Amino acid sequence: MLKLKVKSTHLQLLKNLPSHSYSTSINYLIKYDHPPQTLKSLVQHHALIITTGNSQNIFIASKLISLYSFFGNPHFSTQVFHSIPTKDAFLWNSIIKSHFSNADYSQALHFFHGMRFSATPPDHFTIPMVVSASAELSWQLYGNYVHGFATKSGLFGRNSAVGSSFVYMYVKCGLLEDARVVFDEIIVRDVVGWTALVIGYVQNGESDKGLECLCEMIRVGGDGERPNFRTVEGGFQACGNLGALIQGRCLYGFVLKTGLGCCQVVQSSVLAMYAKCGDPKEAYFSFSQVVDKDLFSWTSIIGVYARFGFIRGCLSLFWEMQVGGMYPDGIVISCLLSGFGNSMCVGKGKAFHGLILRRRYVIDQMVHNALLSMYCKFGLVTLAEKFFETEYEWNKESWNTMVIGYGKAGMEAKCIQLFREMQRLAVKFDSNSLISVISSCSQLGATDLGRSLHCYITKTYTEENISVINSLIDMYGKSGNLTIARRIFCRTQKDIVTWNTLISSYTHCGHAAEAVALFDKMISEKLKPNTATLVSVVSACSELASLEKGKKVHEYIKEGGFELNVSLATALVDMFAKCGQLETSRELFMSMKERDVVSWNVMISGYGMHGDAESAIDIFQEMENSNVKPNAVTFLGLLVACAHAGLIEEGKYLFNRMEQYSVKPNLKHYACMVDLLGRSGNLEEAEEVVKSMPILPDGGVWGALISACKHHNEIDMGIRMAKLAMESDPENEGYYIIMSNMYASVGKWVEAETVRKMMRERGLEKTAAWSAL
């Protein structure tokens, strides 16, 4: 913009000049001197121009319009414009620019209308301003009208700025395909058009296309099409959104090579890119390169440290930031709170909350939400609940955070209750809240409630979110409604989790053959499974005890080059063991680089189910020599093995060893011990075990003892045990039946009928038997 400052010496000189030379002198001053420093001085100069009769000069008028615009007074610019009776394109462009530069876009378009009605033809300076004003207002139809006019008048093809402005307009309106078509029609392209397209793709959620466009620009662009700092800023933003760390590093190399790396905007963009890609080391290096560190730079580096839970680094940067004179805002405080939550530093998180209050840092809605989220991550849901109830102006993020917090803490009823309250208050919920509520319905077995929620989602939730769909499939699958689960599966777009969820549901409900068939269908459709898929299908083969199918899956895993992590290797060990291939199972087990408690338990149980108690005990001894601590499942597998093999002393020894590992015996452990002693005829010892139990015996314990009595023909003892069992659980018809049968076995028919009569009087009926044949 040309600027004007009329000095006092110049004014004195101008007063002595004849009027015909005054205009020439004013032009000279406007063109080569400095602008007025205040609006008041400009008005004085304007008054002098009017009094000397030069106010009708179009060139001087256009400069006055620009200067009034510079001081933020387009209203004065309009008055100057209207004072000129004959207007040319230059003057029209000046008034349009005056309003456009002051963000008065509708008024700029109003003057463009006036220009068209005045029969003054717009030129290549007019069109870019008008199109950009339409873009800022999102007036697509008006932009289409100007596009048609520019094409008809031949302005589109002759000037790159005109074409670039239309690219910007269509991008701003979200019409990316139209923007690309316009861009391809531009004969002479410049950096502005390329930059508009790159940034447009990124801002409209198509970062991959934005990155492709930038690569094309670098590859085919001429001298006038080299990327500038705005272009590469869009490129770095695209890399960050995509998590494309390698591409980001390549772009950074290009930036350093071309000399753009010294630009503050580019330095900040590189830092933001590394932060989004989750590379703390590179992010800190980029942060160190930024000369003038602004609040955005500090926020980016603190944010990436917080994401990984590097709370010491976060705090160090936080104090360093303030020493440098930068006061933290709500975003920085929120990042730190997120870091405490991710690092699970409960004490430090609470202390920092106190620090926020003491030092009176910014506590806006974002900070409140971050505090709520932090306490939910800590599992301190009661504290988060109190914090939530004391505030009266929570936004939707707060409600959603609380719903998710209840869900993760296993408080399913409260999760559903709060979600219903959100519905009542018309608070908008997000997909994560929906997933938590659906999962809560699944955990509670509330199928009807889950169905009503499904209907509500179908009617009101317009966005089809794959994660929500997957949670619905999981809910129906776990409740046994596989028909509905399969129907949803067939009607929706699928990702790998969708396939995994249905395969897992089939396996969970005992439909292992369907799970394997679905896996085969997945492979036939050229979809590559992940580890979770393979674990589910191997488990299905285990349920089927199908060695043939299990071997095929194992071969597929080896040929596909899948990594045998702990979960997948353990699933294969279990499958081969259940199929009777103990040697193969043991080989796989020994080849595992890492074994967890589940791996050891699977191998012990595999030997136990096949009656090889000695090998099970050997594996247990190896487990003790490793750094993996046995748990309740370990000892259950060992006791089952001893019971099947009749190893009484070994079973007693192992049962007593549980205390050494702080494992409390449960009902299954006691049932195994009673079964072990009962099978060997040690009925009195088995009875003593039952009497010494710190918990009430269940059907498994009583059943093992009574069956042992019957097996060893100790009918009197068996009847006595059955009476004790009936007293502990009078609603269990099995006890009545077994007692009646024992009476009948020794010819006590009256007593047998008495027990049957008692059973009928109490409204108990024998469960009908059934056959799969």
Side-chain angles (χ1 to χ4, degrees):
M1 182 185 294
L2 298 178
K3 301 176 181 179
L4 170 66
K5 177 183 178 184
V6 184
K7 299 178 182 177
S8 58
T9 53
H10 293 152
L11 292 175
Q12 187 64 38
L13 176 63
L14 291 172
K15 289 179 182 178
N16 298 326
L17 290 174
S19 61
H20 71 274
S21 62
Y22 185 83
S23 176
T24 304
S25 301
I26 284 290
N27 289 340
Y28 178 86
L29 290 173
I30 289 173
K31 195 169 184 181
Y32 295 108
D33 219 319
H34 301 289
Q37 293 183 351
T38 63
L39 178 62
K40 183 178 179 180
S41 61
L42 175 60
V43 172
Q44 291 173 345
H45 298 329
H46 187 186
L48 180 61
I49 290 169
I50 294 172
T51 56
T52 54
N54 289 278
S55 60
Q56 299 301 305
N57 185 295
I58 292 178
F59 182 74
I60 293 176
S62 68
K63 297 304 176 184
L64 285 169
I65 289 171
S66 297
L67 287 167
Y68 279 125
S69 173
F70 172 77
F71 283 108
N73 284 271
H75 176 68
F76 290 170
S77 299
T78 302
Q79 290 181 354
V80 173
F81 175 79
H82 286 311
S83 68
I84 307 298
T86 304
K87 305 172 180 68
D88 61 1
F90 184 74
L91 196 65
W92 281 104
N93 288 344
S94 296
I95 191 60
I96 292 171
K97 183 179 179 182
S98 173
H99 287 281
F100 177 79
S101 60
N102 281 278
D104 191 359
Y105 305 119
S106 57
Q107 194 66 13
L109 296 180
H110 169 75
F111 278 104
F112 174 68
H113 263 300
M115 183 180 188
R116 295 281 291 120
F117 281 116
S118 70
T120 305
D123 56 20
H124 59 278
F125 292 109
T126 318
I127 299 300
M129 290 188 292
V130 173
V131 174
S132 297
S134 303
E136 297 300 332
L137 294 169
S138 297
W139 287 6
Q140 176 202 336
L141 294 177
Y142 196 91
N144 291 342
Y145 155 70
V146 180
H147 190 179
F149 167 78
T151 303
K152 186 177 180 180
S153 59
L155 291 171
F156 180 85
R158 294 200 303 263
N159 188 274
S160 60
V162 173
S164 298
S165 67
F166 283 112
V167 173
Y168 173 75
M169 186 270 293
Y170 284 117
V171 158
K172 192 77 174 176
C173 294
L175 303 171
L176 297 179
E177 291 184 6
D178 292 342
R180 183 71 207 204
V181 169
V182 171
F183 179 80
D184 290 338
E185 291 175 354
I186 300 174
I187 299 172
V188 180
R189 297 169 183 166
D190 60 7
V191 65
V192 178
W194 282 102
T195 302
L197 194 60
V198 170
I199 294 178
Y201 277 128
V202 175
Q203 291 179 345
N204 283 277
E206 296 190 21
S207 296
D208 52 343
K209 290 186 177 180
L211 205 54
E212 288 174 9
C213 187
L214 176 58
C215 293
E216 182 185 354
M217 178 185 183
I218 295 172
R219 187 175 65 254
V220 304
D223 292 338
E225 303 170 72
R226 296 288 93 188
N228 60 17
F229 68 96
R230 291 295 179 196
T231 324
V232 296
E233 180 187 16
F236 283 122
Q237 188 177 349
C239 293
N241 294 341
L242 295 169
L245 187 59
I246 295 175
Q247 291 86 336
R249 286 172 177 165
C250 292
L251 183 58
Y252 185 45
F254 170 80
V255 163
L256 294 176
K257 185 178 178 180
T258 55
L260 291 170
C262 299
C263 176
Q264 174 76 18
V265 173
V266 174
Q267 290 176 346
S268 298
S269 300
V270 174
L271 170 58
M273 183 270 294
Y274 282 126
K276 284 184 179 180
C277 289
D279 192 330
K281 185 177 179 180
E282 293 282 3
Y284 186 77
F285 177 76
S286 299
F287 174 76
S288 303
Q289 300 299 309
V290 179
V291 179
D292 298 320
K293 296 177 176 63
D294 57 6
L295 190 58
F296 176 78
S297 302
W298 286 101
T299 304
S300 297
I301 188 62
I302 290 174
V304 71
Y305 273 54
R307 194 190 317 170
F308 286 88
F310 298 158
I311 198 61
R312 287 187 179 179
C314 283
L315 289 171
S316 177
L317 289 163
F318 180 69
W319 300 126
E320 184 182 343
M321 169 187 179
Q322 293 179 79
V323 170
M326 192 70 65
Y327 190 79
D329 63 355
I331 300 176
V332 175
I333 300 294
S334 300
C335 286
L336 273 162
L337 292 170
S338 174
F340 284 114
N342 294 336
S343 64
M344 293 302 292
C345 294
V346 180
K348 290 182 179 179
K350 287 182 176 180
F352 189 74
H353 185 186
L355 183 70
I356 292 172
L357 298 174
R358 287 196 304 274
R359 295 204 175 184
R360 297 184 180 181
Y361 286 129
V362 175
I363 306 181
D364 54 16
Q365 189 65 60
M366 186 179 294
V367 173
H368 275 105
N369 292 341
L371 282 166
L372 194 65
S373 177
M374 180 186 74
Y375 285 122
C376 285
K377 285 179 180 178
F378 287 160
L380 303 174
V381 183
T382 304
L383 188 58
E385 191 176 39
K386 290 179 180 178
F387 186 57
F388 181 76
E389 289 172 352
T390 55
E391 294 292 329
Y392 297 98
E393 295 185 2
W394 288 109
N395 58 9
K396 63 178 184 180
E397 283 78 13
S398 312
W399 285 86
N400 286 306
T401 298
M402 203 65 218
V403 168
I404 296 165
Y406 278 135
K408 288 184 177 179
M411 303 170 73
E412 290 87 3
K414 285 196 172 184
C415 175
I416 295 170
Q417 181 184 353
L418 190 62
F419 181 77
R420 284 177 165 174
E421 184 68 10
M422 285 178 69
Q423 290 178 290
R424 188 182 69 81
L425 298 174
V427 178
K428 189 175 181 181
F429 49 85
D430 60 21
S431 59
N432 291 324
S433 292
L434 280 176
I435 293 167
S436 293
V437 178
I438 294 168
S439 176
S440 296
C441 292
S442 179
Q443 293 297 324
L444 292 174
T447 308
D448 292 339
L449 184 60
R451 284 179 175 176
S452 65
L453 182 61
H454 186 189
C455 293
Y456 177 79
I457 292 169
T458 303
K459 290 178 181 178
T460 62
Y461 197 62
T462 55
E463 178 188 359
E464 184 174 297
N465 187 288
I466 293 181
S467 297
V468 174
I469 298 298
N470 293 342
S471 64
L472 285 170
I473 294 172
D474 182 64
M475 179 191 72
Y476 284 116
K478 283 182 177 176
S479 63
N481 294 316
L482 292 172
T483 303
I484 300 176
R486 185 64 181 253
R487 192 179 302 157
I488 297 171
F489 174 84
C490 293
R491 292 178 178 177
T492 187
Q493 291 185 345
K494 307 169 189 66
D495 61 4
I496 187 65
V497 179
T498 315
W499 288 89
N500 292 351
T501 304
L502 191 59
I503 291 172
S504 177
S505 296
Y506 277 128
T507 306
H508 174 77
C509 294
H511 294 266
E514 287 85 346
V516 176
L518 189 62
F519 174 74
D520 291 338
K521 179 178 173 61
M522 179 182 179
I523 300 302
S524 67
E525 294 185 11
K526 308 300 181 185
L527 293 171
K528 186 176 182 180
N530 60 14
T531 303
T533 324
L534 296 169
V535 169
S536 293
V537 76
V538 169
S539 300
C541 294
S542 298
E543 294 299 319
L544 290 172
S546 174
L547 181 60
E548 180 185 357
K549 291 183 183 295
K551 282 183 174 179
K552 285 182 179 179
V553 176
H554 190 201
E555 285 299 319
Y556 177 82
I557 292 169
K558 289 192 289 187
E559 291 174 3
F562 291 95
E563 181 184 356
L564 278 180
N565 61 13
V566 176
S567 299
L568 183 53
T570 301
L572 286 167
V573 169
D574 183 54
M575 184 269 294
F576 281 113
K578 285 180 178 176
C579 292
Q581 301 292 306
L582 288 174
E583 290 185 8
T584 307
S585 181
R586 181 67 177 265
E587 286 175 9
L588 271 170
F589 177 77
M590 297 305 295
S591 68
M592 292 174 65
K593 296 178 181 178
E594 182 184 354
R595 306 182 189 104
D596 60 8
V597 67
V598 179
S599 310
W600 289 98
N601 290 348
V602 163
M603 197 67 244
I604 289 170
S605 298
Y607 279 119
M609 76 174 68
H610 290 285
D612 191 350
E614 292 181 358
S615 295
I617 294 172
D618 289 341
I619 291 290
F620 173 68
Q621 290 173 347
E622 288 184 34
M623 181 182 185
E624 287 186 300
N625 293 331
S626 70
N627 21 353
V628 179
K629 185 180 178 181
N631 60 13
V633 178
T634 314
F635 287 101
L636 182 61
L638 289 166
L639 292 174
V640 169
C642 291
H644 286 173
L647 300 179
I648 301 170
E649 296 304 320
E650 289 83 351
K652 290 180 181 179
Y653 170 75
L654 290 167
F655 186 78
N656 294 327
R657 285 289 302 278
M658 294 176 69
E659 186 178 355
Q660 181 180 338
Y661 288 102
S662 303
V663 177
K664 290 184 178 180
N666 57 32
L667 289 168
K668 290 183 178 180
H669 295 105
Y670 283 110
C672 280
M673 279 303 298
V674 170
D675 184 47
L676 173 63
L677 294 169
R679 286 189 186 200
S680 61
N682 296 316
L683 297 177
E684 291 79 7
E685 195 172 350
E687 184 180 356
E688 287 301 318
V689 169
V690 174
K691 289 180 179 179
S692 67
M693 286 175 60
I695 49 180
L696 289 174
D698 67 347
V701 176
W702 287 118
L705 183 55
I706 296 170
S707 295
C709 292
K710 186 177 180 182
H711 177 74
H712 291 283
N713 204 29
E714 294 287 343
I715 303 302
D716 291 339
M717 182 179 180
I719 291 172
R720 181 164 51 84
M721 293 299 105
K723 286 180 179 179
L724 292 173
M726 287 169 60
E727 290 175 6
S728 67
D729 185 8
E731 300 300 319
N732 190 328
E733 74 277 4
Y735 299 143
Y736 297 86
I737 294 167
I738 196 169
M739 182 186 289
S740 174
N741 291 340
M742 282 192 292
Y743 275 127
S745 68
V746 292
K748 295 183 178 182
W749 302 107
V750 176
E751 289 83 351
E753 181 57 33
T754 302
V755 173
R756 293 277 182 173
K757 184 179 178 181
M758 187 190 307
M759 181 178 170
R760 288 192 296 270
E761 287 174 352
R762 295 183 179 181
L764 302 176
E765 294 182 2
K766 180 180 178 181
T767 305
W770 62 277
S771 174
L773 299 177

